[in-house]
Amino acid sequence: MNEDNVTLHGAYEISADPARIDAARVHRWLSTDAYWALGRTREKQDAAIAGSLNFGVYEGGSGEQVAYARVVTDRATFAWLCDVYVSSAVRGKGLGTALVQAVRDHLEPLGVRRMLLATADAHGVYEKVGFKPLETPEKWMALGSQ
């Protein structure tokens, strides 16, 4: 999937076109309903969007955004998948899995060697796409709050 292209999932479109992102909606979802981003300011969210590769899922008829994901990446060797969110109105339709597959497929031709993510509750969604626990977590370190 190129940034200009759209992937279809039933009646939904998945796009990496940054112009289609409904930043206000994404901020509302994340800052009020996503355990990892509660209270995030709009300014902080807008900066995160600006510095990332963003994906949206849109209803085919209305074009309304119903899901979001962003990737922090150098577009060559490494990617961190984050802020994956599916609106409660459309959960259970496989959109989360389809969105993560679209992200994976978008990054594949770039030769990204490793894509990481952190989740407290959606391991099954990511396992369907090929994610697995770190084989050697003792090699990894973090700076900042966890």
Side-chain angles (χ1 to χ4, degrees), residues 14-29:
I14 303 171
S15 173
D17 180 353
R20 293 185 72 180
I21 298 297
D22 183 340
R25 179 178 299 222
V26 169
H27 174 255
R28 185 175 60 254
W29 283 338

Side-chain angles (χ1 to χ4, degrees), residues 98-131:
L99 176 57
V100 175
Q101 286 172 333
V103 169
R104 179 200 62 198
D105 294 350
H106 182 95
L107 293 173
E108 187 175 19
L110 302 178
V112 170
R113 196 174 136 218
R114 178 170 286 126
M115 184 174 5
L116 295 179
L117 64 87
T119 184
D121 59 358
H123 295 80
V125 170
Y126 300 106
E127 288 169 349
K128 290 177 189 174
V129 182
F131 283 88

Side-chain angles (χ1 to χ4, degrees), residues 9 12 66 86-98 125 128:
H9 179 77
Y12 297 91
V66 297
V86 177
S87 170
S88 60
V90 296
R91 289 182 189 153
K93 297 182 178 191
L95 293 175
T97 300
V125 170
K128 290 177 189 174

